[in-house]
CSV table of all heavy atoms in Angstrom, one decimal:
chain,number,residue,atom,x,y,z
B,1625,ASP,N,-6.5,-36.7,28.1
B,1625,ASP,CA,-6.7,-35.3,28.4
B,1625,ASP,C,-7.7,-34.7,27.4
B,1625,ASP,O,-8.3,-33.7,27.6
B,1625,ASP,CB,-5.4,-34.5,28.4
B,1625,ASP,CG,-4.5,-34.7,29.6
B,1625,ASP,OD1,-5.1,-35.0,30.7
B,1625,ASP,OD2,-3.3,-34.7,29.5
B,1626,PHE,N,-7.8,-35.4,26.2
B,1626,PHE,CA,-8.7,-34.9,25.2
B,1626,PHE,C,-10.0,-35.6,25.3
B,1626,PHE,O,-10.0,-36.8,25.4
B,1626,PHE,CB,-8.1,-35.1,23.8
B,1626,PHE,CG,-6.8,-34.3,23.6
B,1626,PHE,CD1,-5.6,-34.8,23.9
B,1626,PHE,CD2,-6.9,-33.0,23.0
B,1626,PHE,CE1,-4.4,-34.1,23.8
B,1626,PHE,CE2,-5.7,-32.3,22.9
B,1626,PHE,CZ,-4.5,-32.8,23.2
B,1627,ILE,N,-11.0,-34.9,25.3
B,1627,ILE,CA,-12.3,-35.5,25.5
B,1627,ILE,C,-12.9,-36.1,24.2
B,1627,ILE,O,-13.6,-37.1,24.3
B,1627,ILE,CB,-13.3,-34.5,26.2
B,1627,ILE,CG1,-14.5,-35.2,26.6
B,1627,ILE,CG2,-13.6,-33.3,25.4
B,1627,ILE,CD1,-15.1,-34.6,27.9
B,1628,VAL,N,-12.6,-35.5,23.1
B,1628,VAL,CA,-13.0,-36.1,21.8
B,1628,VAL,C,-11.8,-36.1,20.9
B,1628,VAL,O,-11.0,-35.2,20.9
B,1628,VAL,CB,-14.1,-35.2,21.1
B,1628,VAL,CG1,-14.7,-35.9,19.9
B,1628,VAL,CG2,-15.2,-34.8,22.1
B,1629,HIS,N,-11.7,-37.2,20.1
B,1629,HIS,CA,-10.6,-37.3,19.1
B,1629,HIS,C,-11.2,-37.5,17.7
B,1629,HIS,O,-11.8,-38.5,17.5
B,1629,HIS,CB,-9.8,-38.5,19.4
B,1629,HIS,CG,-9.3,-38.6,20.9
B,1629,HIS,ND1,-10.2,-39.0,21.9
B,1629,HIS,CD2,-8.2,-38.2,21.5
B,1629,HIS,CE1,-9.6,-39.0,23.0
B,1629,HIS,NE2,-8.3,-38.5,22.8
B,1630,GLN,N,-11.1,-36.5,16.9
B,1630,GLN,CA,-11.5,-36.6,15.5
B,1630,GLN,C,-10.2,-36.7,14.6
B,1630,GLN,O,-9.7,-35.7,14.3
B,1630,GLN,CB,-12.4,-35.4,15.1
B,1630,GLN,CG,-13.7,-35.4,15.8
B,1630,GLN,CD,-14.7,-36.4,15.2
B,1630,GLN,OE1,-14.6,-36.9,14.1
B,1630,GLN,NE2,-15.6,-36.9,16.1
B,1631,ILE,N,-9.8,-38.0,14.4
B,1631,ILE,CA,-8.6,-38.2,13.6
B,1631,ILE,C,-8.9,-39.0,12.4
B,1631,ILE,O,-9.2,-40.2,12.5
B,1631,ILE,CB,-7.5,-38.9,14.5
B,1631,ILE,CG1,-7.3,-38.1,15.8
B,1631,ILE,CG2,-6.3,-39.1,13.7
B,1631,ILE,CD1,-6.5,-38.8,16.8
B,1632,ASN,N,-9.0,-38.3,11.3
B,1632,ASN,CA,-9.4,-39.0,10.0
B,1632,ASN,C,-9.0,-38.0,8.9
B,1632,ASN,O,-8.4,-37.0,9.1
B,1632,ASN,CB,-10.9,-39.3,10.0
B,1632,ASN,CG,-11.7,-38.1,10.3
B,1632,ASN,OD1,-11.5,-37.0,9.7
B,1632,ASN,ND2,-12.6,-38.2,11.3
B,1633,TRP,N,-9.5,-38.4,7.7
B,1633,TRP,CA,-9.1,-37.6,6.5
B,1633,TRP,C,-10.3,-36.8,6.0
B,1633,TRP,O,-10.2,-36.2,4.9
B,1633,TRP,CB,-8.5,-38.5,5.4
B,1633,TRP,CG,-7.3,-39.2,5.9
B,1633,TRP,CD1,-7.2,-40.4,6.5
B,1633,TRP,CD2,-5.9,-38.6,6.0
B,1633,TRP,NE1,-6.0,-40.6,7.0
B,1633,TRP,CE2,-5.1,-39.6,6.7
B,1633,TRP,CE3,-5.3,-37.4,5.6
B,1633,TRP,CZ2,-3.8,-39.4,6.9
B,1633,TRP,CZ3,-4.0,-37.2,5.9
B,1633,TRP,CH2,-3.2,-38.2,6.5
B,1634,GLU,N,-11.3,-36.7,6.8
B,1634,GLU,CA,-12.5,-35.8,6.3
B,1634,GLU,C,-12.2,-34.4,6.5
B,1634,GLU,O,-11.2,-34.0,7.1
B,1634,GLU,CB,-13.7,-36.2,7.2
B,1634,GLU,CG,-14.1,-37.7,7.1
B,1634,GLU,CD,-14.5,-38.1,5.7
B,1634,GLU,OE1,-15.2,-37.4,5.0
B,1634,GLU,OE2,-14.0,-39.2,5.3
B,1635,ARG,N,-13.1,-33.6,5.9
B,1635,ARG,CA,-12.9,-32.1,6.1
B,1635,ARG,C,-12.9,-31.7,7.6
B,1635,ARG,O,-13.7,-32.3,8.3
B,1635,ARG,CB,-14.1,-31.4,5.4
B,1635,ARG,CG,-13.6,-30.9,4.0
B,1635,ARG,CD,-14.8,-30.2,3.4
B,1635,ARG,NE,-15.9,-31.1,3.2
B,1635,ARG,CZ,-17.0,-30.8,2.6
B,1635,ARG,NH1,-17.3,-29.6,2.1
B,1635,ARG,NH2,-18.0,-31.7,2.5
B,1636,LYS,N,-12.1,-30.8,7.9
B,1636,LYS,CA,-12.0,-30.4,9.3
B,1636,LYS,C,-13.3,-29.8,9.9
B,1636,LYS,O,-13.6,-29.9,11.0
B,1636,LYS,CB,-10.8,-29.5,9.6
B,1636,LYS,CG,-9.5,-30.3,9.5
B,1636,LYS,CD,-8.4,-29.7,10.3
B,1636,LYS,CE,-7.2,-30.7,10.2
B,1636,LYS,NZ,-6.0,-30.3,11.0
B,1637,SER,N,-13.9,-29.0,9.0
B,1637,SER,CA,-15.2,-28.4,9.5
B,1637,SER,C,-16.2,-29.4,9.9
B,1637,SER,O,-16.9,-29.3,11.0
B,1637,SER,CB,-15.8,-27.5,8.4
B,1637,SER,OG,-15.9,-28.2,7.2
Side-chain angles (χ1 to χ4, degrees):
Chain B
D1625 285 329
F1626 295 89
I1627 187 149
V1628 190
H1629 312 77
Q1630 290 288 332
I1631 302 167
N1632 53 49
W1633 300 92
E1634 301 301 314
R1635 261 180 299 182
K1636 288 209 171 177
S1637 56

